[in-house]
Amino acid sequence: MDAMDRKILAELQLDGRLTVTELAARVQLSVSPCHRRLRDLEREGAIRGYRAVVDPAALGLTFEALVFATLRWEDPDTVTAFEEAVAAVPHVLQAQRLFGEPDYLLRVATTDLTAFQQLYDQQLARLPGVQRLTSTLVMKHVVDDRPLPE
């Protein structure tokens, strides 16, 4: 990946709806080479996809919590079962496996505290292999959905 590919990625992170012509103009490249580079970046997996970034509040998801999960055992079967089960919970927006304790960090969005409590009791606490869950509430997003640095 060279400097031009990085420029293309930087521009697309700011506006994924750019046409190839607009993108080419922004990175000061002619349309055909820009299009070729764009397709190469997609094919190589540097660009994983395109999507709209939706405000959670527009969907009534105004309550957010970070949930730390510690597993009883970290054998491959428990890890696989936990990860498959957590991936099936729609209100889990992100799930990250961590080194050390806790084992996982989950970012969860719901409509309110009552909905979070129900999700916690009925789904999160029942995930395979869970020994302990600890939660903290998100007060404010200071940096959110920032483009990756070049």
Side-chain angles (χ1 to χ4, degrees):
M1 180 175 305
D2 63 13
M4 183 56 67
D5 289 339
R6 291 181 186 279
K7 283 183 184 180
I8 290 170
L9 293 174
E11 290 297 332
L12 286 174
Q13 285 183 91
L14 295 174
D15 185 355
R17 295 183 65 170
L18 290 172
T19 66
V20 176
T21 303
E22 292 168 328
L23 179 60
R26 287 192 186 187
V27 298
Q28 299 177 339
L29 195 63
S30 61
V31 174
S32 292
C34 183
H35 189 257
R36 190 170 35 258
R37 283 175 175 268
L38 180 60
R39 294 295 168 241
D40 288 346
L41 290 167
E42 292 170 344
R43 189 176 51 256
E44 294 165 3
I47 297 174
R48 297 189 312 200
Y50 300 89
R51 64 184 177 94
V53 179
V54 178
D55 182 356
L59 300 176
L61 300 172
T62 58
F63 187 88
E64 190 173 324
L66 300 176
V67 179
F68 301 94
T70 302
L71 302 185
R72 284 188 193 92
W73 304 279
E74 290 188 55
D75 62 272
D77 292 338
T78 303
V79 168
T80 299
F82 176 85
E83 289 179 359
E84 288 174 356
V86 82
V89 180
H91 288 276
V92 175
L93 304 181
Q94 292 179 321
Q96 298 169 322
R97 188 169 180 198
L98 309 173
F99 277 108
E101 283 197 38
D103 299 311
Y104 289 87
L105 169 61
L106 312 177
R107 183 174 155 235
V108 177
T110 63
T111 54
D112 55 26
L113 178 60
T114 301
F116 174 71
Q117 181 261 315
Q118 290 173 343
L119 178 74
Y120 188 98
D121 292 344
Q122 295 171 10
Q123 293 184 57
L124 300 179
R126 297 178 182 184
L127 290 168
V130 169
Q131 175 183 347
R132 180 177 60 252
L133 296 176
T134 307
S135 306
T136 189
L137 305 181
V138 174
M139 181 186 310
K140 175 183 173 183
H141 288 268
V142 178
V143 176
D144 190 31
D145 201 36
R146 172 185 282 164
L148 297 172
E150 290 185 43

